[in-house]
Amino acid sequence: GAGVSQTPSNKVTEKGKYVELRCDPISGHTALYWYRQSLGQGPEFLIYFQGTGAADDSGLPNDRFFAVRPEGSVSTLKIQRTERGDSAVYLCASSEGVGDHYGYTFGSGTRLTVV
Amino acid sequence: GENVEQHPSTLSVQEGDSAVIKCTYSDSASNYFPWYKQELGKRPQLIIDIRSNVGEKKDQRIAVTLNKTAKHFSLHITETQPEDSAVYFCAASGGSYIPTFGRGTSLIVHP
């Protein structure tokens, strides 16, 4: 596609429920990043993929969070047993590769609200 | 890991004035420094970036400078316009290939 697409744009869920957030990167981009942005803060790194594998998941806050990218393109961020503190905008970004000469393109994000 | 500090958190200027936002980073292996503009409710968009082999880069009213010795880099916007009002984020990446973002600067340009 022309840009990074994230769905849904908004998600309201009840505390304790399971949610899935989807990211469709720019075609051909091998690197995919998930970030979380709370109000008034900068994007906070969660996990990044190089191809199908999670190259670094050190930013995932706990084991309720998990992400997959089975075919090296679309990625899904999964959150189990959601808590009110999970409420934030979840941003996805992709780049052609990994390294200092690649720029990152962000999607519009999914605004998750846990009530 | 990398730590990026950004100042100020809020910057208010009159239309036509210049605005400067400063960032410092901790990882000497970082070698790519992008700047993003985020308007309310929208995605961060890359506005300019600089790599460690140059000290300054300019694109029309926007310029970025990098001092690798001091580990700091700055965004300069000249002749500010109301449409420049947004939140600006700096970031640094390199050693781990994971961009680390600053906390953002809310720029307000008064007409």
Side-chain angles (χ1 to χ4, degrees):
Chain A
V4 178
S5 175
Q6 289 188 248
T7 55
S9 56
N10 280 285
K11 176 71 177 178
V12 180
T13 190
E14 291 181 347
K15 179 176 178 295
K17 298 289 188 182
Y18 167 83
V19 296
E20 290 189 351
L21 312 179
R22 176 188 167 108
C23 173
D24 197 343
I26 292 173
S27 179
H29 279 197
T30 60
L32 184 148
Y33 303 78
W34 282 100
Y35 283 82
R36 176 167 70 175
Q37 187 174 26
S38 301
L39 192 63
Q41 303 291 320
E44 173 193 4
F45 169 75
L46 296 176
I47 184 172
Y48 100 91
F49 291 86
Q50 178 61 14
T52 60
D56 189 322
D57 63 358
S58 62
L60 295 178
N62 51 60
D63 61 6
R64 296 187 296 105
F65 289 74
F66 189 69
V68 296
R69 195 185 185 199
E71 298 178 358
S73 178
V74 171
S75 176
T76 304
L77 178 66
K78 308 180 180 192
I79 310 174
Q80 298 177 320
R81 305 183 304 280
T82 51
E83 299 177 358
R84 291 196 178 87
D86 298 336
S87 296
V89 175
Y90 288 81
L91 292 167
C92 176
S94 70
S95 64
E96 288 182 58
V98 176
D100 67 329
H101 50 287
Y102 294 108
Y104 314 96
T105 301
F106 280 92
S108 295
T110 293
R111 181 176 298 278
L112 175 66
T113 304
V114 182
V115 298
Chain B
E2 176 66 274
N3 181 47
V4 176
E5 298 286 339
Q6 183 171 349
H7 300 280
S9 57
T10 305
L11 179 58
S12 184
V13 299
Q14 288 296 127
E15 183 177 1
D17 287 350
S18 295
V20 181
I21 302 170
K22 299 182 179 182
C23 289
T24 61
Y25 63 98
S26 61
D27 187 354
S28 57
S30 289
N31 49 21
Y32 176 64
F33 307 91
W35 286 87
Y36 288 84
K37 176 183 180 182
Q38 188 174 31
E39 297 176 354
L40 190 62
K42 297 190 176 180
R43 74 186 76 189
Q45 294 205 313
L46 179 70
I47 55 171
I48 195 168
D49 56 15
I50 191 167
R51 293 177 171 85
S52 60
N53 58 337
V54 295
E56 183 174 357
K57 181 177 178 180
K58 191 172 182 180
D59 182 4
Q60 300 182 336
R61 297 186 297 108
I62 295 173
V64 58
T65 58
L66 171 65
N67 183 328
K68 283 217 75 182
T69 302
K71 296 200 196 73
H72 66 70
F73 56 114
S74 301
L75 178 71
H76 304 252
I77 306 174
T78 58
E79 300 170 26
T80 52
Q81 301 167 2
E83 52 265 39
D84 293 332
S85 297
V87 179
Y88 291 80
F89 293 98
C90 63
S93 70
S96 66
Y97 302 135
I98 299 169
T100 299
F101 287 80
R103 296 183 66 168
T105 296
S106 178
L107 174 64
I108 304 165
V109 180
H110 299 280

